[in-house]
Amino acid sequence: GWACWKTYVGRPMTDAMQCGSRCLAMEKLGNALRMNQQSADALPVFEASTALYQRYWSRDVDGVLGAKSNLACCLADLGRHDEALV
């Protein structure tokens, strides 16, 4: 997860394709952190990923819902159920 993130973190986002690679790297990192019971660390990763999906791929309903689902699951892991439902 971190290797994917480090590959893209310093690069400028000049087009949607680069944003897509960054979002995928962020999803991998966030999921790896969650699977290792590090949901507090995964939360800002999922928040950023969700924001990127909403900004660059708002028409990709499945992608946006997937990002929101990851965020909701992470919030639920942290006991923040009310926020996960929004």
Side-chain angles (χ1 to χ4, degrees), residues 6-47:
K6 287 182 180 182
T7 299
Y8 296 103
V9 71
R11 296 182 184 176
M13 284 192 292
T14 57
D15 61 27
M17 184 62 88
Q18 287 180 346
C19 179
S21 298
R22 186 171 298 193
C23 283
L24 291 174
M26 292 171 77
E27 287 177 9
K28 297 270 188 218
L29 173 59
N31 286 324
L33 290 168
R34 265 193 75 225
M35 293 299 128
N36 286 294
Q37 285 71 46
Q38 297 177 2
S39 294
D41 293 327
L43 182 60
V45 175
F46 286 132
E47 289 172 334

Side-chain angles (χ1 to χ4, degrees), residues 50-65:
T50 300
L52 286 174
Y53 265 106
Q54 290 176 322
R55 179 176 179 181
Y56 289 98
W57 290 294
S58 59
R59 294 181 184 163
D60 178 10
V61 176
D62 292 335
V64 172
L65 287 176

